[in-house]
Amino acid sequence: MTAAMTAAMTALSRRTLLLAPALLAALPRARAASPRRIVSIGGAVTEILYRLGRGGEIVGVDSTSQHPAEALRTKANVGYVRALGAEGILSLRPTHVIAVEGAGPPDALRLVEQAGVRIVRVPEEFGEEGTVRRVRTVAEAVDAQAEGAALAAEIEEGFAKLSAVRAKVTRPAKALFVLSLQNGRPVVGGRGTAADAMLALAGAENAASGLTGWKPLSDEGLIAAAPEAIVTMAHGPGGDAPDPFALPAFAATPAAAKRRLIVMDGVYLLGFGPCAPSAALELLAALHPDRAGTARP
Amino acid sequence: MTLAAAPRSFPEGKRLPALPLDRRPLLFAGLLVALAASGIAALGLGATGIPAARALSILAEAATGRAASGGDALIVLQVRLPRLLLGLLVGAALASSGALMQGLFRNPLADPGLVGVSAGAALAAAATIVLGDALLAPLVGPLPFAALPLGAFAGGLLTTLALYRIATRGGRTSMATLLLAGVAFGALSGAVMGLLSYVSDDRQLRDLAFWSLGSLSGATWTKVAAAAALILPGLLLVPALSRGLNALALGEAEAYHLGVPVQRVKAAAVLTVAVAVGTSVACAGMIGFVGIVVPHVLRLLAGPDHRMLLPASALAGAALLVAADTVARTLAAPAELPIGILTALIGAPFFLWLLLRRRGGLLT
């Protein structure tokens, strides 16, 4: 910061007074004293910023920032989280870039940092503690410690309520998370995925725990997994999802016998933002209607 | 000797000087104008509104040693200029490698990837993305961000050298064996990449997908310096091969009897392509289309003489890639489009138009 200011000062001393105002306006670092201009990279980061009441300070978001819907509608879109361009971000004259871990390419973000923009990296974590940690990191970056503490407390309370409901689940439902059904071939969430973490929070057993990551599942593997419920994502605002039970392999599962298909919004369910506890509670209620049917939020 | 022996595979096989000799300077002048225009557009267009005149004055300031500073100078000198130079180098490398390979294999379908360099680089890059943290971190030590380009470069070079060894017996390289070995390695690397994408997690899979579309985003002066050091010597060597490649068009034996050191021409061409394309893939990922189509366009415009074809391809490839990159980062600004999509979107219709025009329409 000081080095940047010195550089700016030497530059100023060399130029006529006429040029100085234009130059100052062009300097992102010279605006540090003026209001924050945040570029928010990652759906959860954007959601947290809005919940902290800092939505007005956001000037740009990435294409995964779908909650709240106004983010993508009213802010500049700097592209996909992993395919960003340095100039695109700099053109918004940000003071802060708050990005999920894994945003990139790294060289582009390094250039943005070189330009004097503060880059805050938010770890990509699933689960209770991780969600709270992310809120705290973002809150600290935008000087919203009080709001951050309140939001963290709210999320912790949500998780506590969830765990009380989860304790009432005597027999975990065996569920399978289906990401897509391209050509009738299911891609399911195995260990280490956000879906796996969400199923665990919802007191369910992941029927695909034999796999790691998002993997295609064979028909036989699907029948062997014997899920009692299928969880999948709604596509688009209409919320329609393909009917898996039309496929023979799915028809042979216990889930088909009970027609238990749970369709939820993907970002809501897997984003692990501030609404993670309520998403988990909703999923738990849907998976265990007999035990927790009255616990719907 | 399947593809390599096919005579008259070039569309213009019989009409050697398609462009009268006195019009060749015109073609070069046109290419230089296109190059300059695309270069100025690359400096003057972008998500930040810095007009070309301002960008050029910043350049002039920096060139005369007066330290240009400020937001605009930073964007011009640290973002746009390295991107422009990397685009020039990669475009020239891909297009002249394509021209070299098509001349060497005497086949218009040859592309720089034929000698395994793209497949090897892609395989190494995929391995770096998927297994990188665990496997390669100790090797590159404090430079984890360099693992991907270094891996890709080494993978491309090693694969080409291995295939060249396979195809060389008793000091003679069989181009047919090289071609077939290249095809076999392409299949192998495709399979291993499939395996890698199967074991990769969600994030690695997306990295693979975006890497395979190519991008000049993240061009830094370090990358430009490394690319220049590796690509420029090859590009300067390339014109020396034109006479040999012209003679090779008649057939290997004929070229040999004309006094062309056939084996040396082959080795030099393969090595140049391996280094140039390996470097390009390492710096910018996979950018298709430029290597295979730019030499064709030039051949349609000006005939198959390599003395003209090789330098003209380099100029045209550089201009096309710089233009495509400028469009890539301005069309959806502040977001960016993958450049591989744009090289094809800009180049393919032009190529088709040229084919139709030269042939007087497909139906006649």
Side-chain angles (χ1 to χ4, degrees), chain B residues 12 15 38-39 47 55 74 114 170 173-174 199 225 283 341 347:
Chain B
E12 307 300 310
R15 288 179 271 164
S38 62
L74 184 119
L114 216 58
T173 304
S174 155
V199 299
C283 292
I341 294 171

Side-chain angles (χ1 to χ4, degrees), chain B residues 7 31 53 73 123 131 160 162-163 166 171 174 207 229 234 258 265 269 278 284 286 299 305 333 340:
Chain B
L31 286 175
L123 189 56
L131 315 168
T160 308
L163 293 181
I166 290 172
S174 155
D207 273 347
L258 282 170
V265 170
M286 304 283 272
R299 209 177 287 115
D305 182 351

Side-chain angles (χ1 to χ4, degrees), chain A residues 2-291:
Chain A
T2 41
M5 286 308 266
T6 326
M9 293 315 286
T10 31
L12 280 179
S13 65
R14 287 212 186 102
R15 282 174 170 78
T16 58
L17 275 172
L18 202 73
L19 262 174
L23 201 75
L24 263 178
L27 275 171
R29 48 192 169 234
R31 308 184 122 224
S34 53
R36 260 186 299 268
R37 295 173 62 81
I38 305 168
V39 171
S40 169
I41 310 292
V45 173
T46 306
E47 199 178 336
I48 293 170
L49 282 171
Y50 270 94
R51 289 292 298 271
L52 294 174
R54 293 291 193 268
E57 296 177 1
I58 300 178
V59 290
V61 296
D62 81 314
S63 59
T64 67
S65 299
Q66 293 171 351
H67 281 261
E70 66 167 288
L72 268 178
R73 220 176 28 237
T74 57
K75 316 289 184 187
N77 179 358
V78 297
Y80 183 67
V81 55
R82 310 188 65 69
L84 307 166
E87 190 179 338
I89 293 176
L90 287 176
S91 72
L92 301 171
R93 305 196 188 292
T95 56
H96 293 62
V97 170
I98 306 180
V100 285
E101 183 188 27
D107 280 333
L109 285 184
R110 243 196 307 279
L111 277 171
V112 172
E113 202 163 21
Q114 254 178 43
V117 178
R118 196 174 149 218
I119 299 203
V120 180
R121 290 186 170 81
V122 182
E124 189 84 272
E125 289 180 296
F126 311 134
E128 303 184 19
E129 283 164 31
T131 309
V132 172
R133 242 195 318 273
R134 288 159 88 179
V135 169
R136 294 228 167 89
T137 309
V138 175
E140 223 162 274
V142 296
D143 237 346
Q145 278 87 349
E147 294 90 334
L151 182 57
E154 187 188 316
I155 293 170
E156 273 164 348
E157 195 187 318
F159 276 128
K161 191 175 157 207
L162 170 72
S163 111
V165 178
R166 195 168 53 226
K168 288 189 224 151
V169 174
T170 45
R171 203 187 59 81
K174 202 175 183 188
L176 184 70
F177 188 91
V178 177
L179 179 71
S180 72
L181 267 175
Q182 283 290 314
N183 293 326
R185 198 174 73 149
V187 173
V188 303
R191 270 179 291 119
T193 60
D196 186 65
M198 198 31 101
L199 286 175
L201 280 178
E205 182 194 336
N206 188 354
S209 58
L211 299 169
T212 306
W214 298 102
K215 291 281 153 24
L217 189 61
S218 70
D219 286 358
E220 282 183 34
L222 177 62
I223 295 165
E228 298 162 284
I230 305 293
V231 184
T232 189
M233 305 189 319
H235 296 288
D240 58 319
D243 177 19
F245 301 131
L247 301 164
F250 277 96
T253 60
K258 298 182 212 153
R259 298 280 314 166
R260 291 186 60 194
L261 175 68
I262 300 161
V263 182
M264 285 176 75
D265 179 281
V267 182
Y268 175 60
L269 189 63
L270 302 182
F272 278 95
C275 57
S278 72
L281 198 60
E282 209 172 298
L283 180 61
L284 187 147
L287 282 169
H288 308 92
D290 42 342
R291 300 286 161 202

Side-chain angles (χ1 to χ4, degrees), chain B residues 283-300:
Chain B
C283 292
M286 304 283 272
I287 300 174
F289 187 83
V290 179
I292 186 153
V293 173
V294 169
H296 276 290
V297 170
L298 269 304
R299 209 177 287 115
L300 286 174

Side-chain angles (χ1 to χ4, degrees), chain B residues 50-273:
Chain B
I50 305 171
R54 169 99 179 96
L56 290 175
S57 82
I58 288 172
L59 270 196
E61 259 173 58
T64 52
R66 283 196 293 145
S69 62
D72 285 0
L74 184 119
I75 284 171
V76 172
L77 297 177
Q78 299 297 326
V79 179
R80 287 187 191 170
L81 190 58
R83 246 184 123 133
L84 162 64
L85 295 178
L86 192 66
L88 290 177
L89 286 166
V90 169
L94 291 175
S96 45
S97 296
L100 275 180
M101 285 293 98
Q102 289 170 13
L104 196 62
F105 284 97
R106 279 177 284 147
N107 191 296
L109 293 178
D111 92 340
L114 216 58
V115 288
V117 55
S118 310
L123 189 56
T128 314
I129 290 172
V130 178
L131 315 168
D133 299 336
L135 212 70
L136 284 149
L139 290 178
V140 290
L143 301 166
F145 59 87
L148 181 66
L150 285 179
F153 178 70
L157 202 59
L158 289 177
T159 307
T160 308
L161 292 180
L163 293 181
Y164 189 76
R165 286 271 304 169
I166 290 172
T168 308
R169 284 280 156 79
R172 222 187 137 265
T173 304
S174 155
M175 296 318 285
T177 311
L178 189 58
L179 179 87
L180 291 173
V183 169
F185 185 79
L188 182 68
S189 93
V192 178
M193 279 185 75
L195 197 65
L196 283 170
S197 64
Y198 180 79
V199 299
S200 67
D201 65 26
D202 186 35
R203 177 183 301 178
Q204 292 161 344
L205 206 58
R206 278 155 205 263
D207 273 347
L208 281 177
F210 275 100
W211 185 81
S212 71
L213 287 171
S215 172
L216 293 176
S217 144
T220 57
W221 281 110
T222 324
K223 271 188 204 171
V224 171
L230 290 164
I231 290 174
L232 282 181
L235 283 185
L236 295 176
L237 171 83
V238 161
L241 297 173
S242 354
R243 201 182 78 87
L245 289 173
N246 280 349
L248 266 177
L250 302 168
E252 260 184 52
E254 289 81 350
Y256 182 77
H257 289 298
L258 282 170
V260 171
V262 173
Q263 188 58 29
R264 253 194 287 164
V265 170
K266 285 183 198 168
V270 168
L271 188 72
T272 307
V273 169

